[in-house]
Amino acid sequence: MNNHPVVVIGAGPAGLTAAYHLVKNGIKPIVLEQSDTVGGISRTEKYKGYHFDIGGHRFFTKVQEVQDLWYEVLEDDFIKTPRMSRIYYQGKFFQYPLSAFDTLQKLGISESFLIIWSYLEAKRRPLPVEDNLEQWVTNRFGQRLYKTFFKTYTEKVWGIPCTQIQAEWAAQRIKGLSVKTAVLNALFGKNDTKTLIKEFDYPRLGPGMMWERFAEKIQEAGGEVHLNTKVLGMERQGKRITKVIAQRDDNLIQIEGENFISSMPLNLLVQKMNPSLPDEVVQAANGLKYRDFLIVSLIIDAPDLFPDNWIYIHASEVKVGRIQNFKNWSAAMVPDASKTCLGMEYFCNIGDPLWSKTDAELIELAKQELEVLGLAKGAVVEDGVVIRQPKAYPVYDGDYRQHLEVIQNYLQGFENLQTTGRNGMHRYNNQDHSMLTALLAAKNLLGEKHDLWEVNTERSYHEDFTKEEWKQVTSSEDDNNLTVVASNK
């Protein structure tokens, strides 16, 4: 194909954001996507009129420019969705993010005493190092609360012991709670907990609606978005990419470009380079690990089962890790008001026994586990569909940072290649962070200078704002000190 000013690999939030900003500034990129739909892990799947979110994607951010893009592109199809999520543990529902007072109250007097004692012991004799998640959580909450609410679920999600997950993941993803504050509240009848953000923006027909609209606007402005186009190789001359070799249907095509923006997984990017990159870079790429994911969506003959958007399942007797209630995200995602659609989420690895089950076996498993949990008592499961998502989550194991540093240092030497997004940077981030890195990548091509790897992701969930604080942080963002907050899950 003819020489293109910019070739964008991947039509998820990162790739489409970069392409959209470029067409707004008169540059017409070509976007290559291997699947048959846009949105990546933020896409929306459809089945018999039902819409399924791949994991649940809220839209809120501290980055004003990202929020402005959402409204600019989706316009009136944004709705306000009430936020509610809880933890299901031992037949009870616990607030999430965890409220220490609620947690201790529901666990009972004796267990609460043991948790507080464990917490005081951790404060009196903290572990001397915090290299892994277990050490990080234990030092802050005590060993007993760690084993109750962190260990089992986290290991279900990641498939590895908490001792093999880096502490930085915990610092980035786990919202703090104060056992000390809970005890003082109980003794003196106070409640100083700040009000959680009670609602968030959400596309009327699921997050994929946003990315479909992005793709439409890119093409209306003269850019190209090609689906079912799998990148097989990337030709280079030294530290400069010259063209992409791709497969579309049964045809091989060559796409030449001046600049390249990639959101494909880093290990695949390295493997597709021709000539091959140095052995140490290839070995580092091969060392990066991912967690895969599948969702079994069940259509249930019941109008209302529970009020949550999603529930975390801390029950060791079932394999399901989280349950989405799509009707509570947007009623428009369920075409029949007398029905409910639940997404039973399973975390696994490609090739393991769970992933290898047939769709029929997975639907039957989901039905059985829903019955065990008692979350749809007396309701009939009428239908179901399975959706599989490889490489859903970059794994923060003990070796990942060393591997990532090798790859990052080498790729930054390329003259015309930038990597963005969750898999393009091997960061377990959220869609607003993916969009921000892509936006800055596009701005780099327009003459600005931004280091994408310096965009800050070392933050917690930051949902505990009062309304006035929320207004303040969203209206006074410092462009030189961008801090991204959670926009999904």
Side-chain angles (χ1 to χ4, degrees), residues 12 109 201 224 265 468:
I109 295 175
D201 292 320
E224 301 178 43
E468 288 305 312

Side-chain angles (χ1 to χ4, degrees), residues 49-104:
Y50 290 82
H51 290 66
F52 310 124
D53 196 344
I54 309 300
H57 290 78
R58 289 175 288 161
F59 286 72
F60 70 86
T61 181
K62 281 179 65 178
V63 184
Q64 190 65 45
E65 194 168 8
V66 168
Q67 183 166 302
D68 291 344
L69 271 181
W70 287 337
Y71 277 93
E72 176 183 317
V73 171
L74 201 58
E75 299 175 334
D76 295 333
D77 278 315
F78 246 171
I79 63 172
K80 293 291 184 183
T81 295
R83 180 213 187 283
M84 183 175 182
S85 64
R86 291 178 293 174
I87 292 172
Y88 183 84
Y89 176 70
Q90 293 186 342
K92 297 178 181 179
F93 289 96
F94 294 79
Q95 294 177 11
Y96 184 83
L98 285 174
S99 161
F101 184 68
D102 171 77
T103 300
L104 297 178

Side-chain angles (χ1 to χ4, degrees), residues 91-227:
K92 297 178 181 179
F93 289 96
F94 294 79
Q95 294 177 11
Y96 184 83
L98 285 174
S99 161
F101 184 68
D102 171 77
T103 300
L104 297 178
Q105 184 182 47
K106 289 178 179 175
L107 287 175
I109 295 175
S110 59
E111 182 63 22
S112 295
F113 174 79
L114 293 173
I115 283 175
I116 293 170
W117 181 262
S118 176
Y119 167 79
L120 294 174
E121 281 292 295
K123 293 302 177 184
R124 186 170 69 89
R125 293 187 299 179
L127 299 172
V129 294
E130 291 184 357
D131 291 333
N132 60 54
L133 184 144
E134 179 174 300
Q135 295 165 339
W136 190 94
V137 175
T138 299
N139 273 354
R140 281 153 184 79
F141 310 127
Q143 188 178 62
R144 197 168 188 94
L145 193 62
Y146 156 71
K147 288 184 176 179
T148 300
F149 279 113
F150 294 93
K151 185 178 190 299
T152 301
Y153 180 78
T154 302
E155 292 182 352
K156 182 186 290 189
V157 171
W158 294 103
I160 58 176
C162 288
T163 54
Q164 295 180 20
I165 300 173
Q166 291 295 283
E168 65 184 279
W169 182 89
Q172 180 176 318
R173 304 297 299 192
I174 296 174
K175 179 190 179 296
L177 66 135
S178 172
V179 177
K180 177 181 176 181
T181 300
V183 174
L184 293 175
N185 289 344
L187 291 175
F188 300 106
K190 295 181 179 180
N191 189 349
D192 297 326
T193 304
K194 294 180 181 179
T195 303
L196 287 173
I197 297 165
K198 295 297 185 181
E199 63 181 12
F200 53 87
D201 292 320
Y202 192 71
R204 183 174 54 84
L205 292 174
M209 189 180 193
M210 175 73 74
W211 311 116
E212 290 163 8
R213 195 70 57 80
F214 262 86
E216 291 170 4
K217 290 183 176 292
I218 290 166
Q219 293 178 102
E220 288 170 359
E224 301 178 43
V225 179
H226 294 275
L227 304 180

Side-chain angles (χ1 to χ4, degrees), residues 93-363:
F93 289 96
F94 294 79
Q95 294 177 11
Y96 184 83
L98 285 174
S99 161
F101 184 68
D102 171 77
T103 300
L104 297 178
Q105 184 182 47
K106 289 178 179 175
L107 287 175
I109 295 175
S110 59
E111 182 63 22
S112 295
F113 174 79
L114 293 173
I115 283 175
I116 293 170
W117 181 262
S118 176
Y119 167 79
L120 294 174
E121 281 292 295
K123 293 302 177 184
R124 186 170 69 89
R125 293 187 299 179
L127 299 172
V129 294
E130 291 184 357
D131 291 333
N132 60 54
L133 184 144
E134 179 174 300
Q135 295 165 339
W136 190 94
V137 175
T138 299
N139 273 354
R140 281 153 184 79
F141 310 127
Q143 188 178 62
R144 197 168 188 94
L145 193 62
Y146 156 71
K147 288 184 176 179
T148 300
F149 279 113
F150 294 93
K151 185 178 190 299
T152 301
Y153 180 78
T154 302
E155 292 182 352
K156 182 186 290 189
V157 171
W158 294 103
I160 58 176
C162 288
T163 54
Q164 295 180 20
I165 300 173
Q166 291 295 283
E168 65 184 279
W169 182 89
Q172 180 176 318
R173 304 297 299 192
I174 296 174
K175 179 190 179 296
L177 66 135
S178 172
V179 177
K180 177 181 176 181
T181 300
V183 174
L184 293 175
N185 289 344
L187 291 175
F188 300 106
K190 295 181 179 180
N191 189 349
D192 297 326
T193 304
K194 294 180 181 179
T195 303
L196 287 173
I197 297 165
K198 295 297 185 181
E199 63 181 12
F200 53 87
D201 292 320
Y202 192 71
R204 183 174 54 84
L205 292 174
M209 189 180 193
M210 175 73 74
W211 311 116
E212 290 163 8
R213 195 70 57 80
F214 262 86
E216 291 170 4
K217 290 183 176 292
I218 290 166
Q219 293 178 102
E220 288 170 359
E224 301 178 43
V225 179
H226 294 275
L227 304 180
N228 300 305
T229 304
K230 182 178 182 180
V231 172
L232 302 178
M234 298 185 70
E235 302 288 326
R236 68 184 181 94
Q237 292 180 356
K239 291 294 187 72
R240 185 172 185 82
I241 306 297
T242 57
K243 61 185 174 184
V244 166
I245 310 299
Q247 181 176 357
R248 183 181 302 149
D249 299 322
D250 294 327
N251 301 315
L252 289 180
I253 56 176
Q254 298 185 44
I255 303 161
E256 297 178 350
E258 291 296 322
N259 292 281
F260 296 79
I261 297 175
S262 172
S263 62
M264 76 163 68
L266 273 180
N267 64 341
L268 295 182
L269 176 66
V270 170
Q271 292 165 9
K272 294 180 186 299
M273 290 286 186
N274 184 35
S276 298
L277 300 188
D279 289 344
E280 63 270 19
V281 181
V282 175
Q283 291 173 8
N286 293 339
L288 294 179
K289 297 182 177 63
Y290 302 83
R291 188 67 163 159
D292 308 304
F293 167 91
L294 61 85
I295 182 170
V296 183
S297 291
L298 300 178
I299 299 170
I300 301 170
D301 186 20
D304 185 30
L305 294 176
F306 48 81
D308 306 74
N309 310 105
W310 69 96
I311 299 174
Y312 297 97
I313 306 299
H314 287 225
S316 59
E317 64 268 23
V318 295
K319 296 182 183 296
V320 65
R322 189 171 53 195
I323 301 178
Q324 304 286 344
N325 191 333
F326 296 114
K327 194 175 186 178
N328 292 344
W329 288 79
S330 170
M333 296 176 73
V334 179
D336 186 341
S338 69
K339 313 292 184 185
T340 294
C341 183
L342 300 182
M344 307 283 284
E345 298 182 356
Y346 295 88
F347 306 93
C348 50
N349 292 325
I350 292 176
D352 71 15
L354 191 59
W355 183 275
S356 301
K357 287 181 180 293
T358 66
D359 287 3
E361 290 172 333
L362 287 167
I363 291 171

